[in-house]
Amino acid sequence: MEKWSLMTIIVLLGLTVRWLVSFGSYSGAGKPPMYGDYEAQRHWQEITYNLPIKQWYFNTSDNNLQYWGLDYPPLTAYHSLLCAYVAKLINPNWIALHASRGYESQPHKLFMRATVLVADLLVYIPAVIVYCYYLKETSTKKKISSAICILLYPGLILIDYGHFQYNSVSLGFALWGVLLLSYDWDLLGSLAFCLAINYKQMELYHSLPFFCFLLGKCFQKGFTGKGLVLLIKLAFTVVASFAVCWLPFCTEVEQILQVLRRLFPIDRGLFEDKVANIWCTLSILVKIKDVLSPQIQLKLSFAITFLSLLPTCIKLTLQPSLRGFKFALASCALSFFLFSFQVHEKSILLVSLPVCLIINEVPFMSTWFLLVSTFSLLPLLLKDGLLLAYIVTTLGFITVCVTSFSMFEKTSEDDLQLKSLSLSIRGYMPSFKAFPEIIKSLFLVSVTLMGILTLMSATLNPPQRLPDIFPVSVSVVSCLHFLFFLMYFNAVILWDSRNGRSQKKTS
Amino acid sequence: MAAADGGRGGCWFPALALGVSLLKCLLIPSYHSTDFEVHRNWLAITHNLPVSQWYYEATSEWTLDYPPFFAWFEYALSHVAKYFDQEMLVIQNLNYSSPATVFFQRLSVIFTDILFVYAVHECCRCVNGKQAGKDILEKPMFVLAVLLLWNFGLLIIDHIHFQYNGFLFGLMLLSVARIFQKRHLEGAFLFAVLLHFKHIYIYVAPAYGVYLLRSYCFTANMADGSLKWSSFSFLRITLLGLIICLVSALSLGPFAVLGQLPQVISRLFPFKRGLCHAYWAPNFWALYNAVDKTLAFAGLKYKFLDPEKIPKASMTGGLVQEFQHTVLPSVTPLATLICTFISILPSVFCLWFKPQGPRGFLRCLILCSLSSFMFGWHVHEKAILLAILPLSLLSVESPKYAGIYLILTTTGHFSLFPLLFTPPEIPVKILLMLLFTVYCFSSLRALFRKAGPLLNWLETIYLIHLVPLEIFCEIVFPLTAWKLKFPFIPLLLTSVYCALGIIYAWLKLYISVLTEFYPPLKVFV
């Protein structure tokens, strides 16, 4: 069969699954007074449509910031405004100021779900298709397999179409950025990435690899000649695109400062709810939030994040390569997720995106990571009543990955990209066992553990003394996995060049 | 590498089956029609009442009108149902649909589909894999598995609209597969059982009867292929008869003993219903009605007809009712029976005088179901699956049938669209339809790459025009002023347009089967 018809089928399948997941419940459905993210997005439409732009981010009598105040960058606000215009055409009650608070109805749900689908269809899905279609040095089969796995990744589908958010827009722009950079259209790529940051500030997790990769490219071209020109052009593109996005807020300094305060709410604490990161896990043993002052928490998390990022970033700057760039995106985003300040459980999607991009290179590890990342969202999804969708999409994802990549046969050291690491370990420790066996058995243990925990959280009532036992154990287990994956990504990145050299030697 | 391919060759079928089952699970929260309540009611009836009252109970308007095996099937299900929600088993709880009830009923369809999956697996083994390509995606077996397992019609009828066609078609395909495997008695047994699950399959009974008589009971042919009377085997026909009688006795026996047979029969064959269903199935009668309506309309406009003499019944009003034609003669059940009989006759004749093995039988079976669909009394649009599913088997073996299959599936599936009309389900039906249709076209074209185009320009144009038709019916029409005055226009357009395509496919299939019967040119040239 031809490649384009296969791609069409995959896109249609992805769209069908997305739409079917959207039949389920959403966050905060029928739960006054605060509802959930669905109400937040609707409320933003109400605010942006009815209030002048100057009041969007300010607490006024018409805009109570305590009730889902706008805390995303301007592009999100513009997107809400656009949706609000459409909503106004269909039913003005959906966005009436004050009166529409907590509005819920079947037609409205349909409308909101449709806006997600449209955004996804315009930004994320084309990016995935183009990315997979033009993957370099890859067989058609692998391109098709990557496309279907990326489009059926359950985490993103469940959060966007179940829980309700527009992650596909920011992730899609970031993906366009990666795509354009890989074809050396650096200016367009950085423009796309600026759009991503201006849609959701969490995209900053990806900013360091972008920065280092582009900087490395400039260095490669020679820092005095072409490289400098490129650097200046890039700087200009970034500044210009930011300026355009923020134009309506550039009238006063106070406006910009207020938006920034809304975007980075430092006083919200080190972490919220049960996040699968290191701080939440440690706080089972030590109540960090009580022991350390907020200022020290901030500094500590910043320092550790920075340290964990450093090796990858240096390596990427010195030896910029496309492959290294993708791995660095995954590893840096994961460092941010694990160590940085004020992380949401949904931010794991920012790690999942780059991991999706390397699924054709390390299918086994990527699939494993993507499964764990979906699993880490389980407490949230249970709260939203999305258990069925979670189980079905996860099983479907496993089926697709196993059949299209024959995953279990891809666990040799070469397939895991760990050959050079294990060679160097054997240099010190000749009795070192091969990686594949260890990793395979770890995978089995991990999948069993995740399955059991899913079953227990879904069916059992927690003991009265420990009401949070299941969410906490889910996040601890996921956190341990993520630490392991962080080590793995770093190992692959740091031992990369030796591998390349040795391959060149053998060839 | 070879090992990897071998491993993959082994696991594509479970992956396809599991994939579609998961998709079905995602359909659980979607819209369900009144058929959901029908089956809930049957669960309650069979669970609470003694057998003697099953066919008399009439609390709900949805009385039990399937043969006894299906009632027993519901009885068995009801014993699982009680662990989900006791309330669904109360006869008086009309239109009861708690989340647990929905979950149970949907899951019961998904689980009984295991039989369908097994039947598809058996059918795939019967397919000729001669022109198999290297790529697994281009093997006839793989294509057939997708065409059957992921069939659009079956997905939306069973898992959105709600019915139990999956395992019933499973029985039918399994019996076809058994006949392909020369296990005739098993095939006959399965078909007899199927008939007592749902009697609509009686449409294809002539094909079974004639084939088994001609090719099983007569053990040999003359040298020129004609019938050798002396080879008739009394043992075989006794066995066949015994099987059919036993199955029938098991099913209808208890009711015969109770003296309820007339009541059961009257429930099974409700001729009180009209010629056409509320929404006209795209068959010959849809065209007949349309012509009648047009003539009546033109007659009124140009004063040929007296307005006072015209009965004021609108056919597409939504109610199943008897209907008087205005200009053309009204059609009686007997007339439809005769038409059906005449239209089936040539194919059966062909099967008797030139049996071409199981494939000839399959062709006759498809022609029987299509002909009955064309001329039957009160045909449902869903009955088109009875032709589409078996035709899938032929379509992967020869380009000729692939072309016919493409026309028939696309139009037949499109004609199912009016079944789903709730806004959230409209994207689902369009996406699934596109998914299946794109797959059909691209896979069959890849399969017969060397055979040239599968469709000619006229057929292509016809099929492409389904797109504007759908856009008109779903988007443009509701915005126009006609919506209130002529609400039936989208349905009428859909069924008339689809009727053209299905009649065309039927004629084309008939012609190709009959020309195989008389291959005149090749003999002389």
Side-chain angles (χ1 to χ4, degrees), chain B residues 13 75 100 118 299 365 391 432 489 493:
Chain B
F13 189 84
Y75 176 75
Y118 174 68
L365 184 151
L391 189 59
L432 279 175
I489 281 192
L493 279 181

Side-chain angles (χ1 to χ4, degrees), chain A residues 338-402:
Chain A
L338 281 172
F339 304 114
S340 73
F341 197 76
Q342 244 290 308
V343 174
H344 286 262
E345 62 274 65
K346 283 156 269 177
S347 303
I348 195 62
L349 295 180
L350 290 154
V351 193
S352 304
L353 177 78
V355 176
C356 282
L357 302 187
I358 51 175
I359 200 166
N360 67 318
E361 294 183 48
V362 280
F364 184 81
M365 293 303 273
S366 302
T367 310
W368 188 7
F369 177 86
L370 294 174
L371 285 176
V372 178
S373 71
T374 315
F375 171 71
S376 78
L377 296 167
L378 180 65
L380 181 77
L381 299 172
L382 275 178
K383 215 191 294 172
D384 295 343
L386 292 167
L387 180 68
L388 180 74
Y390 165 77
I391 293 176
V392 170
T393 49
T394 307
L395 288 179
F397 182 69
I398 297 177
T399 315
V400 166
C401 287
V402 169

Side-chain angles (χ1 to χ4, degrees), chain A residues 126-144:
Chain A
V128 172
I129 294 307
V130 176
Y131 174 81
C132 295
Y133 211 88
Y134 293 108
L135 267 176
K136 289 168 186 168
E137 297 160 21
T138 316
S139 66
T140 308
K141 207 176 203 171
K142 264 196 165 178
K143 289 177 183 173
I144 300 293

Side-chain angles (χ1 to χ4, degrees), chain B residues 84-116:
Chain B
F84 282 76
D85 187 352
Q86 283 280 355
E87 291 297 301
M88 77 170 107
L89 298 175
V90 177
I91 298 179
Q92 281 73 28
N93 271 350
L94 298 183
N95 294 317
Y96 183 77
S97 59
S98 68
T101 310
V102 174
F103 191 64
F104 167 74
Q105 293 230 71
R106 292 282 199 203
L107 272 192
S108 69
V109 184
I110 295 169
F111 271 97
T112 48
D113 272 1
I114 291 174
L115 184 63
F116 180 70

Side-chain angles (χ1 to χ4, degrees), chain A residues 1-213:
Chain A
M1 277 166 69
E2 285 155 53
K3 200 158 72 167
W4 66 264
S5 55
L6 281 171
M7 280 290 184
T8 317
I9 290 167
I10 288 169
V11 171
L12 287 169
L13 188 65
L15 287 175
T16 314
V17 172
R18 279 164 165 72
W19 191 251
L20 288 179
V21 168
S22 80
F23 282 7
S25 174
Y26 48 84
S27 68
K31 285 180 196 154
M34 278 309 272
Y35 303 96
D37 275 344
Y38 176 87
E39 167 65 6
Q41 298 286 351
R42 193 211 54 74
H43 181 65
W44 293 350
Q45 294 177 9
E46 172 196 335
I47 292 298
T48 49
Y49 185 82
N50 291 299
L51 299 183
I53 236 173
K54 288 202 163 33
Q55 292 182 29
W56 285 359
Y57 289 90
F58 280 91
N59 206 10
T60 64
S61 57
D62 284 331
N63 187 11
N64 176 11
L65 289 184
Q66 292 303 309
Y67 184 81
W68 300 116
L70 197 51
D71 55 1
Y72 277 1
L75 273 189
T76 297
Y78 304 149
H79 182 203
S80 294
L81 183 61
L82 188 70
C83 294
Y85 274 108
V86 182
K88 176 86 179 172
L89 281 181
I90 305 172
N91 186 349
N93 290 336
W94 292 348
I95 51 157
L97 192 61
H98 301 309
S100 65
R101 210 170 253 203
Y103 190 98
E104 286 177 300
S105 73
Q106 277 304 314
H108 186 247
K109 180 183 169 191
L110 195 65
F111 163 72
M112 295 293 271
R113 298 297 202 194
T115 59
V116 179
L117 190 74
V118 169
D120 202 355
L121 204 56
L122 289 179
V123 184
Y124 183 70
I125 292 177
V128 172
I129 294 307
V130 176
Y131 174 81
C132 295
Y133 211 88
Y134 293 108
L135 267 176
K136 289 168 186 168
E137 297 160 21
T138 316
S139 66
T140 308
K141 207 176 203 171
K142 264 196 165 178
K143 289 177 183 173
I144 300 293
S145 308
S146 324
I148 192 169
C149 291
I150 298 177
L151 281 183
L152 289 184
Y153 166 58
L156 183 61
I157 299 180
L158 289 170
I159 293 297
D160 274 15
Y161 292 84
H163 178 82
F164 201 88
Q165 280 196 341
Y166 296 93
N167 290 296
S168 50
V169 180
S170 54
L171 293 178
F173 279 130
L175 180 50
W176 276 115
V178 176
L179 189 64
L180 292 166
L181 286 195
S182 64
Y183 280 87
D184 288 330
W185 293 355
D186 297 331
L187 297 182
L188 278 177
S190 42
L191 171 69
F193 185 63
C194 288
L195 292 179
I197 293 184
N198 279 315
Y199 193 88
K200 230 178 177 182
Q201 67 272 35
M202 272 71 117
E203 277 297 328
L204 285 171
Y205 289 10
H206 291 148
S207 58
L208 275 176
F210 267 91
F211 176 73
C212 296
F213 181 59

